[in-house]
Amino acid sequence: MVKSFNLVEFYIKDVNFPNVRPDDAHKYNFGTLFVCGGEENYRGAALLSIEAALKTGIGVVYGLFHGSISDEVLKNFPEVICLDSVNQMKNIINNESTIVAGPGTSKLFKNKDLIHIISSHTKTSVLDAAFIQAVKERKFITPPIITPHEGEAAKLLGCTPKEIKNNRERSIKQISKSFSTITVLKGKDTLICDCNTIFKCKHGSNNLAKAGSGDILAGLIGSLLAQGLSSVESCKTAVALHGFCGEQFQNRNYVAKDLIEQIAKQRFSLSSI
């Protein structure tokens, strides 16, 4: 029996942004983010997550990728520190670091060593794409944020995407309770559940229903989390900002990178109000 949850609707005006740093702040004061993913056929997903983080205020980004995409990453973002192995990441990461794992992944079994690091990490991590299913296999020291669409949510619960679509609130309750996660169920009126409350975002547009949109959201959540927002506030702010910016496009004649530019613009203009 799934317990009853409070339901709270929210808009961009209701969310919080990271605190303004002092003039003498250094790069580590703005957060450190590790982005892990980017399988051979999905390199762009990791690039989008990285760009979303870099343009929304993060101080330092490390990247751990599948295959030989480091050259491509550095060509686009020379400030990213590309790692060679999971062991190298293990030696660098500390308790203040945030991890976004999964953008551009399709096979969880390829990432067992990395999952061990993430599940034992004391700071909240963000799990996207194939890494979402890790919550079925391993106990996490700190409840992770997961970002499933309805198809990925259906895999978690062993049902069909249509069943998720028809019972979104009940489904997100069940996922968060069963797997001890902070769940972001993407779709119309994106839902966030922290095992106590369901938050429903009233921003969004089907203009966001295109490849790359979810990768941007994962990077944005990770960026805000690394900059000091709580797990729930990071999700609420990222989802509201993502949805609000999607509404600014009059039609679908844009690409994912255009969405990042809109998010970067609004993130700093709205946070200064």
Coordinates of all heavy atoms in Angstrom, one line a residue, residues 15 20-21 30 39 91 94 129 136 172 211 222 236 239:
V15 N 10.7 29.0 -7.0 CA 11.9 28.3 -6.8 C 13.1 29.1 -6.3 O 13.0 30.4 -6.4 CB 12.4 27.5 -8.1 CG1 11.2 26.6 -8.6 CG2 12.8 28.5 -9.2
V20 N 24.5 34.0 -4.2 CA 25.6 34.8 -4.9 C 26.9 34.6 -4.1 O 26.9 34.7 -2.9 CB 25.2 36.3 -5.0 CG1 26.4 37.1 -5.6 CG2 23.9 36.4 -5.8
R21 N 28.0 34.3 -4.8 CA 29.3 34.1 -4.1 C 30.0 35.5 -3.9 O 29.7 36.4 -4.7 CB 30.2 33.2 -5.0 CG 29.7 31.8 -5.2 CD 29.1 31.1 -4.0 NE 29.0 29.7 -4.2 CZ 27.9 28.9 -4.4 NH1 26.8 29.6 -4.6 NH2 27.9 27.6 -4.5
F30 N 32.2 27.4 -6.5 CA 31.1 27.3 -7.4 C 30.7 25.9 -7.7 O 29.9 25.6 -8.6 CB 31.3 28.1 -8.7 CG 31.4 29.6 -8.5 CD1 32.6 30.2 -8.3 CD2 30.2 30.4 -8.5 CE1 32.7 31.6 -8.1 CE2 30.3 31.8 -8.3 CZ 31.5 32.4 -8.1
E39 N 28.4 7.0 -24.4 CA 28.7 5.9 -25.2 C 28.9 6.3 -26.7 O 28.5 7.4 -27.1 CB 27.7 4.8 -25.1 CG 27.6 4.1 -23.8 CD 26.5 3.1 -23.7 OE1 25.8 2.9 -24.7 OE2 26.3 2.6 -22.6
N91 N 40.3 8.5 -7.3 CA 41.4 9.1 -6.6 C 41.2 10.6 -6.5 O 41.8 11.3 -5.6 CB 42.7 8.9 -7.3 CG 43.2 7.4 -7.2 OD1 42.8 6.8 -6.2 ND2 43.9 6.9 -8.1
N94 N 35.9 13.9 -4.1 CA 35.8 14.0 -2.7 C 34.3 14.2 -2.3 O 33.4 14.2 -3.1 CB 36.6 15.2 -2.2 CG 36.2 16.5 -2.8 OD1 35.0 16.9 -2.8 ND2 37.2 17.3 -3.3
A129 N 19.3 8.0 -17.9 CA 19.4 7.0 -18.9 C 19.6 5.6 -18.3 O 18.9 5.2 -17.3 CB 20.4 7.4 -19.9
K136 N 17.8 -0.5 -8.9 CA 17.2 -1.8 -8.7 C 18.2 -2.9 -8.2 O 17.8 -3.9 -7.6 CB 16.6 -2.3 -10.0 CG 15.4 -1.5 -10.5 CD 15.0 -1.9 -11.9 CE 14.4 -3.3 -12.0 NZ 13.9 -3.7 -13.3
I172 N 5.0 7.6 -9.5 CA 6.2 8.3 -9.0 C 6.3 8.0 -7.5 O 7.4 7.9 -6.9 CB 6.2 9.8 -9.3 CG1 7.6 10.4 -9.0 CG2 5.2 10.6 -8.5 CD1 7.8 11.8 -9.5
A211 N 15.2 15.0 -28.8 CA 16.4 14.4 -28.3 C 17.3 15.5 -27.7 O 17.5 16.6 -28.3 CB 17.2 13.7 -29.5
G222 N 22.5 18.7 -11.9 CA 23.8 18.5 -11.3 C 24.5 19.8 -11.0 O 25.1 20.0 -10.0
K236 N 13.6 21.1 -8.4 CA 12.5 22.0 -8.6 C 13.0 23.2 -9.5 O 12.3 23.5 -10.5 CB 11.9 22.5 -7.3 CG 11.1 21.5 -6.5 CD 10.7 22.1 -5.2 CE 9.8 23.3 -5.3 NZ 9.4 23.8 -4.0
V239 N 13.8 21.9 -13.1 CA 12.6 21.5 -13.9 C 11.8 22.7 -14.3 O 11.4 22.9 -15.4 CB 11.8 20.5 -13.1 CG1 10.4 20.4 -13.7 CG2 12.4 19.2 -13.0

